[in-house]
Amino acid sequence: MYIVRELLTVKPCEKKQISRRRFGFLIITRQKSIAFILSDFLDEKYEEALKVAAKKHDLIGVKVYDKMDMQLPEAGVLEVEDAETGAIQWVDTNDYLVRTNYQQSFFSFTEL
């Protein structure tokens, strides 16, 4: 129950936090452990830290995502912001090609 409560009440970190910082505790922990990593695994800067941690610990990755993220709704022209970079872009979600490319991109990330 403690773990569930902590997961439900966690406050988001700064937007540009690098994932390898999150695995630092696994690298310095002396006792061999089993760690469950819940992530969307979209960040690109964590592989090396995971390799180092995996030499000492058993790591189990659980990929999590929202089903509503699989496809864009037909909602017209939307202003969207990249959560990490802050870049703003206009997207026409009524365009079939835009929705198809988005869905293909989503599934290419989930297969990794």
Side-chain angles (χ1 to χ4, degrees):
M1 289 303 293
Y2 172 77
I3 294 171
V4 172
R5 185 173 54 246
E6 287 297 311
L7 288 172
L8 291 174
T9 60
V10 69
K11 302 256 189 277
C13 300
E14 65 183 66
K15 290 181 179 181
K16 295 183 180 179
Q17 181 177 10
I18 298 172
S19 292
R20 61 186 154 187
R21 289 187 208 159
R22 298 178 189 159
F23 302 115
F25 68 96
L26 286 174
I27 296 169
I28 62 172
T29 303
R30 293 180 185 227
Q31 186 175 5
K32 184 174 171 93
S33 305
I34 298 173
F36 290 86
I37 301 170
L38 296 124
S39 176
D40 57 9
F41 293 103
L42 295 180
D43 194 350
E44 298 171 352
K45 300 175 177 98
Y46 63 88
E47 290 94 353
E48 191 62 36
L50 275 180
K51 287 178 187 176
V52 172
K55 289 180 182 177
K56 186 175 189 180
H57 306 286
D58 292 329
L59 304 179
I60 300 167
V62 179
K63 187 167 199 147
V64 293
Y65 60 91
D66 188 343
K67 286 185 178 182
M68 292 185 70
D69 289 338
M70 286 184 187
Q71 58 188 358
L72 286 175
E74 291 185 51
V77 179
L78 299 176
E79 180 181 19
V80 295
E81 178 181 353
D82 186 318
E84 292 183 5
T85 65
I88 295 175
Q89 184 176 355
W90 289 92
V91 177
D92 182 5
T93 60
N94 286 334
D95 186 350
Y96 175 78
L97 224 58
V98 169
R99 291 193 318 274
T100 303
N101 288 338
Y102 176 87
Q103 190 171 25
Q104 288 174 349
S105 174
F106 176 84
F107 285 116
S108 72
F109 279 120
T110 59
E111 292 172 357
L112 298 177

